[in-house]
């Protein structure tokens, strides 16, 4: 078990190191211009140079993404429960729900800024629109998936609708909710960066635009490293939260397989 | 023979049919039966004879086409929350501990939360399951899960206990064991029980009275009073009268079968 856990940790790390090594060697062998494709060492040095600034932007983006996930989670759960409970609303609103995901955020962002100015508001709205959907959708499926036997049992002992939601449907939907949350956690950072890109005075997205316009390619890569790190961080937090909340399932030995089920 | 008190459950002229396409398929026809206070009554019939439908009617999950249902002298046709119920599958909630599974059901039937918790623990100890009170149900064997499920039904403050083939999914050894266990527990706290099975031995072993049902559409073929004294001995099946009654029920079930072919 310990050996297996160690291996599942070491193998991805080794792959990552291999990837960076190949990148570094290729850059030296093919003598790449650093403003087209900088080598990992240059990127690292550039990041170290800008570290104080990067850290400030990093925190600002993290804050924005977390607020987005938090609000998206709340909106997603409410939408799922309302749509599950009122079948008329489910039928009526499902086209709107899909529509909300069809409009590209690159188009929605500027519109929101026209309507709500350049502050935090338009960015949060944008993030909520991106974040609530995977949660609402997967939870809505989960709410309907509660075991028929348990449903029948609660019916037979005369449980009310509210009790059925509280005792059966909500807990049964939690594994689905967390699948949605993990997708949301991954999307949230990219969306936060896009929101900052469209108009902000801080955050990784703002830094990215600045450096991109100045052809500072190694700094752009530095920003990408930050974005990837943030995404992994949020995903990891969601996975950890899932483990803490859902304790009743017999734990599978293979983590990844367990998460997909 | 012991005289029983008032009728806790009384079904009068219950009929029910389902619509399948344009056809009306009758399932129950003119079912009249009763369970007196402290009495163990069994419904026996071939698979698919509408026993579960009858339970759904008693539970108030569905309404009969004709006839009425009375609990403790009051007509309550279609009303929910008056019975306690033990289904064929244990139907324990996987996210609740064994003790919480019991106490939350008691809370549904109006016991205060604190009292429900105390009762659950006390009784789990009494049936030697105190050690697993804090475990999730999936660690228990099938037989143990059924014990918990029975206890949950027993402790609910309701006038009638409905047990729907509770041992059908267990292996023969566990089943015999469970029958003795249930008998002992029930005889120490006589509740009014309506029990469904398709095992003749089980019916004779446990009950005071047996109603024999015909195949669908179910009618009551005969009502049999089981003459063996209480507390019932574990080797009651060795008595000649047991074998005779068994043959009688078997004949009834076969005749019911033939008359409809």
């Amino acid at each position: 078990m310990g050996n297996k856990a160690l291996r599942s940790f070491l193998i991805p790390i080794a792959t990552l190191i291999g990837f960076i090594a190949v990148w570094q060697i290729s850059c030296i062998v093919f003598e790449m211009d650093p403003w087209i494709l900088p080598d990992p060492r240059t990127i690292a040095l550039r990041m170290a140079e800008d570290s104080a600034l990067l850290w400030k932007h990093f925190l600002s983006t993290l804050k924005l993404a977390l607020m987005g996930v938090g609000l998206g989670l709340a909106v997603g759960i409410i939408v799922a429960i309302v749509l599950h409970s009122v079948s008329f609303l489910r039928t009526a609103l499902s086209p709107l729900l899909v529509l909300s995901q069809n409009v590209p955020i690159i188009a929605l962002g500027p519109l929101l800024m026209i309507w709500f100015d350049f502050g935090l508001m338009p960015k949060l709205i944008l993030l909520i629109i991106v974040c609530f959907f995977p949660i609402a959708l997967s939870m809505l499926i989960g709410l309907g998936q509660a075991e028929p036997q348990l449903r029948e049992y609660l019916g037979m002992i005369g449980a009310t609708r509210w009790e059925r939601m509280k005792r059966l449907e909500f807990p049964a939907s939690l594994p689905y909710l967390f699948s949605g949350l993990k997708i949301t956690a991954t999307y949230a950072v990219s969306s936060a960066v896009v929101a900052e890109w469209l108009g902000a005075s801080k955050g990784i997205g703002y830094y990215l635009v600045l450096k991109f316009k100045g052809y500072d390619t190694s700094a752009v890569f530095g920003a990408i490293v930050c974005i990837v790190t943030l995404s992994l961080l949020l995903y990891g937090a969601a996975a950890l939260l899932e483990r803490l909340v859902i304790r009743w399932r017999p734990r599978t030995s293979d983590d990844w397989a367990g998460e997909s089920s | 023979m012991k005289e029983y008190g008032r009728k806790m459950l009384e079904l009068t002229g219950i009929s029910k049919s389902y619509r399948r396409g344009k056809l009306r398929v009758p399932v129950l026809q003119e079912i009249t039966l009763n369970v007196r206070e402290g009495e163990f009554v069994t419904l026996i019939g071939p698979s698919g004879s509408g026993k579960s439908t009858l339970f759904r009617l008693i539970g108030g999950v569905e309404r009969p086409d004709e006839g009425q249902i009375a609990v403790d002298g009051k007509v309550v046709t279609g009303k929910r929350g008056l019975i306690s119920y033990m289904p064929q599958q244990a139907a324990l909630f996987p996210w609740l501990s064994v003790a919480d599974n019991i106490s939350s059901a008691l809370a549904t039937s109006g016991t205060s939360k604190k009292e429900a918790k105390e009762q659950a623990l006390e009784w789990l100890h009494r049936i030697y399951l105190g050690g697993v009170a804090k475990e999730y149900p999936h660690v228990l064997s099938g037989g143990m899960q059924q014990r918990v499920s029975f206890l949950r039904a027993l402790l609910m403050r309701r006038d009638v206990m409905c047990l729907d083939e509770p041992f059908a999914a267990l292996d023969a050894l566990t089943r015999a064991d469970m029958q003795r266990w249930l008998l002992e527990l029930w005889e120490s706290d006589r509740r009014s029980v309506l029990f469904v099975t398709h095992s003749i031995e089980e019916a004779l072993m446990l009950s005071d009275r047996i109603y024999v049902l015909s195949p669908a559409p179910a009618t009551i073929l005969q009502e049999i009073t089981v003459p063996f004294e209480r507390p019932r001995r574990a080797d009651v099946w060795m008595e000649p009268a047991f074998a005779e009654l068994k043959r009688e029920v078997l004949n009834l079930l076969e005749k019911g079968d033939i008359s409809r072919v």
Side-chain angles (χ1 to χ4, degrees):
Chain A
M1 175 65 199
N3 192 21
K4 206 171 175 186
L6 197 66
R7 271 180 50 155
S8 70
F9 183 68
L10 282 182
I11 292 176
I13 296 282
T15 315
L16 199 61
I17 291 173
F19 174 71
I20 292 172
V22 169
W23 181 356
Q24 180 75 48
I25 292 165
S26 318
C27 282
I28 294 168
V29 171
F30 298 113
E31 293 173 357
M32 292 300 285
D33 272 331
W35 65 271
I36 293 175
L37 180 65
D39 59 307
R41 195 176 149 274
T42 316
I43 296 169
L45 287 175
R46 186 79 186 80
M47 282 177 78
E49 197 182 307
D50 255 2
S51 60
L53 195 64
L54 263 179
W55 179 242
K56 199 185 87 192
H57 291 312
F58 183 91
L59 285 182
S60 155
T61 304
L62 177 65
K63 209 171 113 192
L64 183 62
L66 277 179
M67 280 195 282
V69 173
L71 288 170
L73 186 65
V75 173
I77 291 175
I78 292 168
V79 167
I81 289 180
V82 169
L83 293 196
H84 175 75
S85 309
V86 191
S87 66
F88 166 74
L89 284 182
R90 184 164 54 231
T91 321
L93 294 185
S94 56
L96 271 184
L97 225 60
V98 177
L99 196 78
S100 76
Q101 303 305 300
N102 282 344
V103 182
I105 54 173
I106 210 81
L108 205 56
L111 279 176
L112 288 170
M113 275 162 201
I114 293 171
W115 297 331
F116 298 102
D117 219 344
F118 284 90
L120 187 61
M121 190 62 141
K123 297 188 194 68
L124 279 183
I125 293 175
L126 193 73
L127 276 172
I128 290 170
I129 288 173
V130 172
C131 288
F132 92 98
F133 188 71
I135 291 171
L137 194 68
S138 49
M139 189 171 175
L140 193 58
I141 293 168
L143 285 170
Q145 292 288 315
E147 253 198 84
Q149 286 159 14
L150 295 175
R151 206 175 271 277
E152 174 79 9
Y153 169 75
L154 284 181
M156 286 294 284
I157 67 164
T160 59
R161 235 186 118 102
W162 163 243
E163 267 182 307
R164 194 177 69 205
M165 170 61 75
K166 192 178 73 171
R167 286 185 55 195
L168 174 62
E169 290 168 339
F170 184 72
S173 76
L174 283 178
Y176 293 82
L177 172 69
F178 277 107
S179 300
L181 181 64
K182 284 191 279 190
I183 297 172
T184 288
T186 323
Y187 281 169
V189 177
S190 321
S191 310
V193 168
V194 172
E196 287 164 350
W197 176 301
L198 290 171
S201 51
K202 57 185 183 208
I204 297 289
Y206 167 77
Y207 179 84
L208 194 64
V209 179
L210 213 64
K211 298 300 166 184
F212 173 69
K213 284 187 176 149
Y215 284 97
D216 189 347
T217 316
S218 42
V220 170
F221 271 94
I224 292 173
V225 171
C226 288
I227 293 166
V228 171
T229 311
L230 271 171
S231 291
L232 287 176
L233 215 61
L234 253 65
Y235 181 88
L240 186 71
L241 196 65
E242 181 185 28
R243 282 205 163 194
L244 291 177
V245 173
I246 300 174
R247 315 181 76 138
W248 61 84
R249 271 192 306 194
R251 194 156 289 167
T252 45
S253 54
D254 192 339
D255 217 10
W256 191 256
E259 276 165 7
S260 66
S261 68
Chain B
M1 265 214 48
K2 194 188 167 220
E3 267 310 306
Y4 291 101
R6 58 188 198 276
K7 290 173 181 168
M8 291 312 283
L9 176 69
E10 191 174 17
L11 274 59
T12 320
I14 295 287
S15 297
K16 175 80 184 172
S17 55
Y18 288 110
R19 206 176 279 280
R20 200 165 293 156
K22 280 187 176 170
L23 281 172
R24 282 184 80 80
V25 185
V27 184
L28 301 170
Q29 244 167 19
E30 299 271 317
I31 302 279
T32 295
L33 58 83
N34 63 69
V35 181
R36 290 172 180 279
E37 193 174 12
E39 195 183 22
F40 199 117
V41 175
T42 296
L43 281 174
I44 190 166
S47 308
S49 60
K51 291 169 289 187
S52 295
T53 304
L54 194 59
F55 265 15
R56 291 175 65 95
L57 297 178
I58 296 171
V61 177
E62 289 181 57
R63 292 187 73 96
D65 300 336
E66 278 166 50
Q68 63 179 35
I69 298 166
V71 171
D72 199 10
K74 282 189 284 288
V75 176
V76 292
T77 318
K79 203 168 162 226
R80 294 194 189 196
L82 294 161
I83 58 159
S84 72
Y85 175 62
M86 175 182 183
Q88 189 172 335
Q89 255 74 39
L92 300 173
F93 294 87
W95 43 83
L96 296 180
S97 71
V98 169
D100 289 346
N101 256 290
I102 295 173
S103 60
S104 68
L106 302 194
T108 298
S109 69
T111 313
S112 78
K113 265 196 181 148
K114 186 166 162 280
E115 202 182 322
K117 275 213 163 81
E118 287 167 2
Q119 260 190 38
L121 277 177
E122 183 199 324
W123 274 85
L124 279 170
H125 279 289
R126 209 183 288 184
I127 64 167
Y128 308 108
L129 285 175
V132 292
K134 288 197 166 63
E135 301 282 351
Y136 289 114
H138 71 82
V139 305
L140 304 187
S141 68
M144 280 156 99
Q145 291 191 9
Q146 284 302 75
R147 283 174 200 225
V148 174
S149 175
F150 177 74
L151 190 59
R152 178 174 66 176
L154 185 74
L155 295 183
M156 277 184 92
R157 269 203 228 140
R158 296 273 167 87
D159 291 328
V160 188
M161 277 175 83
C162 289
L163 315 185
D164 187 3
E165 299 196 42
F167 307 140
L170 301 175
D171 61 277
L173 272 176
T174 314
R175 188 171 183 155
D177 198 34
M178 285 294 292
Q179 285 166 7
R180 275 196 299 278
W181 177 84
L182 184 142
L183 203 55
E184 208 175 291
L185 207 59
W186 177 78
E187 278 174 348
S188 71
D189 175 20
R190 286 230 186 164
R191 302 279 305 277
S192 311
V193 172
L194 185 62
F195 186 89
V196 159
T197 183
H198 52 242
S199 153
I200 301 173
E201 283 96 342
E202 193 166 272
L204 290 172
M205 188 81 198
L206 300 171
S207 14
D208 298 307
R209 267 188 308 134
I210 300 174
Y211 289 99
V212 184
L213 290 178
S214 70
T219 53
I220 287 176
L221 290 175
Q222 194 161 343
E223 179 188 339
I224 296 171
T225 305
V226 183
F228 312 116
E229 81 271 18
R230 300 241 182 230
R232 201 154 283 175
R233 300 193 327 274
D235 60 354
V236 66
W237 57 274
M238 290 170 77
E239 285 187 25
F242 191 96
E244 209 152 293
L245 274 174
K246 186 178 164 186
R247 194 170 319 125
E248 193 189 327
V249 177
L250 205 58
N251 277 339
L252 274 169
L253 288 174
E254 276 171 357
K255 213 165 53 197
D257 246 351
I258 290 160
S259 69
R260 285 174 198 271
V261 170

